[in-house]
Amino acid sequence: MVPMRSLLFAPGNNFRRVEKALSLNADGVIVDLEDAVALTEKKAAREMVRKALEIPRRNRLYVRVNALDTDFIQDDLEEVIRPGLDGVVLPKAESAEGIRYVDWLISQQEKKHGLGSGTLDLIPIIESALGVVRALEIASASKRVSRLAFGAIDFTLDIGTNFSKSGTEVFYARSQLVIASSAARIQPPVDTPYPDIQDIEGLVADTKKVRQLGFFGRLVIHPSQIQPVNEIFTPTADEIEHARRVVEAFNEAEARGIAAIQLDGKFIDYPVAARAKKVLELVETLRDKN
Ligand SMILES: CC(C)(COP(=O)(O)OP(=O)(O)OC[C@H]1O[C@@H](n2cnc3c(N)ncnc32)[C@H](O)[C@@H]1OP(=O)(O)O)[C@@H](O)C(=O)NCCC(=O)NCCSC(=O)C[C@@](O)(CC(=O)O)C(=O)O
Ligand SMILES: [Mg+2]
């Protein structure tokens, strides 16, 4: 599993920002060809993505192409899929057929550029009512789909409201993405960008809330959002210590034929121990990455 705690967007027509994004500690960078790029700049932005692929980096590099209902997507994919690109982010994903079509377009480019078949990752952004309703079929449409992402600003526009600090209006959609991802056996979803760049306290509170809902990782739009988001998706020393004790105590009990014990007054059984093992696995993956 590739840990994707933070995915930083950088506008595809602003090379300085793309360069800077690639030098920061976001787990992934998404060079945007869609909404952050004016119609007149779309072509130039594709060239920037190719230039960006030559920059040494520690993070995974994705490109957000334009949506399926635009005239841009085919050329976007043709002109930006090159060795070094890790994946494609598809905005406004609404159907399994759409995902399969994009999967096929990506496969053509993989063949053309000598990339292994299926190497490129695909992250659909669910940001409409129809996308939320069809989340499971979108998540299951191609082996290439590693995880879904949520886009709350377009989503709330679609359902006729706005993305509020309380997030009441997106609670159902967020949970639907978590459940669909789990049912499709893909990675947990990545949450929407938090638009109030100056409100780090609000970002932290909202991100802790979505972690509890079952998300892993968040789209970010400004360098100041990377560290707080990375921290929330990194187990703390106390969480690691607790997970170690749970696994140790459970393994000992299991060896004696017991599968229900208590530790510090709390009940431990198979699913509790499995959860603790997952925490330790995440710690190992993050260690391998650094
Ligand atoms: C918001 C703002 C313009 C503010 O700029 P400002 O210049 O005022 O910020 P400052 O604080 O002055 O920057 C201080 C220093 O950081 C550098 N710096 C800033 N941002 C950086 C960055 N991202 N990457 C690298 N570097 C960066 C800057 O260059 C400067 O560097 P330096 O000069 O060296 O000091 C800027 O952040 C920005 O462009 N963000 C990305 C916007 C974007 O890609 N949006 C599209 C994707 S979201 C989307 O589409 C979601 C969704 O799909 C979801 C839904 O549906 O819900 C939808 O539809 O909405
Ligand atoms: Mg959007």
Side-chain angles (χ1 to χ4, degrees):
M1 195 255 300
V2 182
M4 208 66 87
R5 295 165 300 180
S6 53
L7 272 158
L8 174 65
F9 269 113
N13 59 336
N14 187 331
F15 195 65
R16 198 176 135 76
R17 274 194 188 167
V18 172
E19 247 183 331
K20 180 161 179 154
L22 290 169
S23 73
L24 302 171
N25 61 343
D27 289 339
V29 169
I30 307 172
V31 181
D32 192 20
L33 299 181
E34 198 216 11
D35 282 354
V37 178
L39 292 177
T40 50
E41 295 280 303
K42 299 279 188 196
K43 255 187 159 175
R46 292 177 191 139
E47 232 175 281
M48 290 269 205
V49 176
R50 292 203 298 270
K51 257 175 82 185
L53 286 168
E54 286 159 23
I55 301 171
R57 60 176 203 265
R58 288 174 305 163
N59 17 42
R60 283 170 67 83
L61 180 57
Y62 287 78
V63 63
R64 178 167 76 171
V65 294
N66 287 281
L68 267 166
D69 62 355
T70 67
D71 293 333
F72 300 113
I73 182 165
Q74 218 162 321
D75 288 346
D76 284 347
L77 291 167
E78 248 176 70
E79 292 186 32
V80 303
I81 294 183
R82 295 290 183 278
L85 187 71
D86 291 299
V88 171
V89 174
L90 178 73
K92 304 183 175 76
E94 291 198 319
S95 71
E97 301 87 77
I99 296 294
R100 284 194 285 269
Y101 176 59
V102 173
D103 175 281
W104 180 79
L105 289 173
I106 295 174
S107 298
Q108 301 305 303
Q109 294 307 315
E110 282 176 338
K111 243 185 242 161
K112 188 169 164 189
H113 296 285
L115 303 167
S117 165
T119 20
L120 264 82
D121 186 10
L122 177 59
I123 304 181
I125 310 188
I126 306 292
E127 45 187 346
S128 67
L130 190 56
V132 170
V133 169
R134 292 182 175 161
L136 177 57
E137 64 174 83
I138 293 168
S140 320
S142 152
K143 282 204 177 113
R144 215 184 272 287
V145 175
S146 64
R147 47 177 67 70
L148 303 174
F150 181 48
I153 301 169
D154 272 306
F155 173 71
T156 49
L157 172 71
D158 192 38
I159 64 166
T161 180
N162 63 299
F163 182 28
S164 72
K165 294 245 160 155
S166 77
T168 315
E169 66 290 336
V170 291
F171 173 73
Y172 168 78
R174 277 171 159 168
S175 287
Q176 163 86 335
L177 260 61
V178 171
I179 292 161
S181 301
S182 181
R185 296 285 176 257
I186 61 170
Q187 293 298 315
V190 173
D191 196 36
T192 187
Y194 189 78
D196 190 343
I197 294 163
Q198 300 199 334
D199 181 13
I200 297 296
E201 221 175 275
L203 167 74
V204 166
D206 194 57
T207 309
K208 284 184 176 165
K209 191 166 69 188
V210 299
R211 184 185 69 167
Q212 183 58 29
L213 281 182
F215 277 75
F216 186 87
R218 179 153 211 162
L219 301 170
V220 295
I221 48 174
H222 191 275
S224 63
Q225 297 183 323
I226 299 171
Q227 198 50 34
V229 167
N230 280 355
E231 273 174 25
I232 289 166
F233 291 105
T234 305
T236 63
D238 283 353
E239 285 165 345
I240 299 169
E241 178 54 22
H242 179 70
R244 281 212 177 100
R245 291 183 60 230
V246 168
V247 171
E248 211 175 275
F250 189 77
N251 285 349
E252 265 173 31
E254 200 191 14
R256 288 184 282 117
I258 301 165
I261 55 167
Q262 73 160 290
L263 181 71
D264 304 334
K266 295 212 178 83
F267 175 58
I268 315 284
D269 64 353
Y270 275 108
V272 177
R275 178 78 211 142
K277 281 179 193 158
K278 278 196 172 181
V279 171
L280 299 181
E281 277 163 25
L282 173 61
V283 172
E284 285 308 308
T285 319
L286 291 172
R287 187 172 296 133
D288 290 347
K289 183 190 165 290
N290 294 325

